[in-house]
Amino acid sequence: MTESTATACYGIDIGGTKIELVACAADMQVTWRKRIATPQGDYSAFLLAVTELVASADAEHGRAADAIGIALPGVRDRQSGRQLSANVPALTGQCVAQDLSNRLQRPLHFGNDLQCFALSEAHGGAADGYPSMFGAILGTGAGGGYCVQGRLISGFNGLAGEWGHWSVPANLLQRHGLPLLDCGCGLRGCVERYVSGSGVAMIERHLGGNAANASDVIALADAGDIRARQALDIHRDLLGHSFAALILALDPHVIVLGGGLSQYAPLYQQLPAAIATHLFKGVQVPPIVPPRFGDAGGARGAALLACQPAFS
């Protein structure tokens, strides 16, 4: 490996179904990557999986990376250090950061997985060059991260960008005849229960269908299924309202979509009008664009935390 491509740091993105490690050079180009399945219900197996993944990367490169950035799902209590993660239940209640630090024995930099996605897109990604950006992930859940001048704004509790846990207004639920749903965070009526990929499928099933996921709903709608098309219309209205609230609160110069629904091309043409419906006259909808790094953005963003921790 030449000096120009020598590994500077690793980024690890821990998701509900996969753990991905990327090795990055000093210019933040990904030089190597590996994915493994996430042990969702066994904490000891999770720690072992991450440790072995890092050992595999060290062996591949012939040396240990100087620093590692880790994108954790959910939120961490800054007083107790314990994690709350709906997507990886084994992590909830555990001091994940401390346990991984003890095992890996090198500098670790931790961030929220959604915020790491935003950070990656703000540096060399779809939002590169914009004064501010919001990265909104629409996957199994919904959430995001906010960057200003390339710097990740994490906030007092590290929660900045957790737009998925804002509440859907009662009048919207009533308009579409939707139930008030419990959320894994402990609140009720959270945006992510309705606008995430799993939310699309929930809406279709509530209308009497049996779609297992968002891909099923989209395929049915493309085939002319009226119920599936209605589900997508409702989803678009709810998502439009939530993005309108986001614009009023943060006014980002661009919104980058991530997660499975970011691959649904019609969303980029349809969303601006759906958002504008919920904004008062004179407020412009910012560009809404697909991600440049796709589902690898979280790991690259984690590497940015390690290589350039001033951005965190």
Side-chain angles (χ1 to χ4, degrees), residues 193-208:
R193 290 302 313 274
Y194 304 88
V195 306
S196 62
S198 53
V200 175
M202 178 281 297
I203 294 170
E204 194 268 353
R205 291 194 299 270
H206 182 72
L207 295 174

Side-chain angles (χ1 to χ4, degrees), residues 113-114 117-118 121 126 133-145 163 195-197 235 239 243 255-264 267-268 271 288-298:
D113 55 335
L114 308 175
F117 162 78
E121 291 297 331
M133 65 82 70
F134 193 88
I137 291 188
L138 302 169
T140 305
W163 134 92
V195 306
S196 62
H235 172 267
L239 184 59
F243 276 0
I255 296 174
V256 183
L257 300 186
L261 283 177
S262 70
Q263 301 173 37
Y264 182 48
L267 206 53
Y268 298 95
L271 258 182
I288 300 172
V289 299
R292 181 167 297 171
F293 297 109
D295 62 359

Side-chain angles (χ1 to χ4, degrees), residues 188-271:
R188 304 188 74 194
C190 288
V191 164
E192 80 165 18
R193 290 302 313 274
Y194 304 88
V195 306
S196 62
S198 53
V200 175
M202 178 281 297
I203 294 170
E204 194 268 353
R205 291 194 299 270
H206 182 72
L207 295 174
N210 58 5
N213 50 50
S215 296
D216 288 350
V217 179
I218 291 170
L220 287 167
D222 288 344
D225 184 271
I226 295 176
R227 183 187 292 117
R229 289 183 175 180
Q230 183 184 359
L232 290 177
D233 288 344
I234 293 172
H235 172 267
R236 187 166 58 253
D237 185 40
L238 297 176
L239 184 59
H241 179 276
S242 67
F243 276 0
L246 185 68
I247 290 166
L248 293 175
L250 300 176
D251 201 17
H253 288 80
V254 64
I255 296 174
V256 183
L257 300 186
L261 283 177
S262 70
Q263 301 173 37
Y264 182 48
L267 206 53
Y268 298 95
Q269 289 75 49
Q270 298 167 353
L271 258 182

Side-chain angles (χ1 to χ4, degrees), residues 35 38 50 90 107 130 137 189 227 229 247 297 305 310:
R35 290 183 176 183
T38 303
V50 174
Y130 284 90
I137 291 188
R227 183 187 292 117
R229 289 183 175 180
I247 290 166
L305 288 180

